[in-house]
Amino acid sequence: MTQQTDLIKLYSDRILKLAASIPHFERLESPHATVKKRSPLCGSTVTVDIEMTDGRVTAFAQDVKACALGQAAASIVGSAIIGLTQPQIACARDQLKAMLINEGPPPTIPFDELVVLLPARDYKNRHASIMLALDAATEAAALAVIEPV
């Protein structure tokens, strides 16, 4: 396959639809924790606000300024994160990283839809943008559990 064909495959209709429908896109008024992550390679950023009660995510918001791949990942994260614990979010982050870097299997439910990003495995320069939402959510959840504001 040519590089152009590979890029077209990478930006599939499903990825573009996810990128266009990111849930929880408005910031929270009084989050327990806020974390901003930036990809130094491409400049993509994701800022996550999170509220947790009894160790579970009860409110989530994200401000996403990323490529379509980073937006698609954020869309999936936003759709799945409410009700989860910090260890569940960290597990999803680790599974996504393993899928992209170590040819691991796709993340498990409720983040199994991240499999749509499997074609990005061959594009190392896109990995950081894809990881932003889960990296920020994992850190924010850890902060909210340890030191809720």
Side-chain angles (χ1 to χ4, degrees):
M1 272 191 233
T2 67
Q3 189 173 19
Q4 185 173 1
T5 303
D6 288 346
L7 280 174
I8 291 169
K9 182 176 161 187
L10 182 60
Y11 289 98
S12 70
D13 286 342
R14 182 68 186 132
I15 286 173
L16 296 176
K17 285 178 184 171
L18 285 165
S21 60
I22 300 172
H24 307 292
F25 205 67
E26 296 187 20
R27 303 291 302 273
L28 297 179
E29 192 170 310
S30 299
H32 296 156
T34 298
V35 171
K36 181 177 184 177
K37 292 288 185 180
R38 181 182 177 275
S39 168
L41 187 60
C42 66
S44 293
T45 62
V46 172
T47 303
V48 164
D49 294 331
I50 204 163
E51 293 178 14
M52 300 194 59
T53 303
D54 297 327
R56 294 192 176 276
V57 176
T58 53
F60 177 81
Q62 55 188 344
D63 180 19
V64 181
K65 292 176 177 58
C67 66
L69 298 172
Q71 291 176 28
S75 181
I76 294 165
V77 169
S79 294
I81 200 163
I82 301 295
L84 298 183
T85 64
Q86 192 277 337
Q88 289 172 309
I89 300 164
C91 179
R93 179 208 50 207
D94 295 344
Q95 289 174 338
L96 178 59
K97 185 175 182 179
M99 179 186 86
L100 292 171
I101 296 171
N102 300 322
E103 297 188 21
T108 55
I109 294 171
F111 294 101
D112 53 320
E113 196 172 358
L114 288 166
V115 71
V116 73
L117 296 164
L118 191 59
R121 181 184 279 168
D122 296 331
Y123 297 90
K124 293 183 187 341
N125 60 335
R126 306 286 191 208
H127 292 180
S129 182
I130 292 168
M131 293 297 305
L132 287 174
L134 274 173
D135 283 343
T138 299
E139 187 175 327
L143 291 171
V145 169
I146 295 169
E147 299 178 29
V149 176

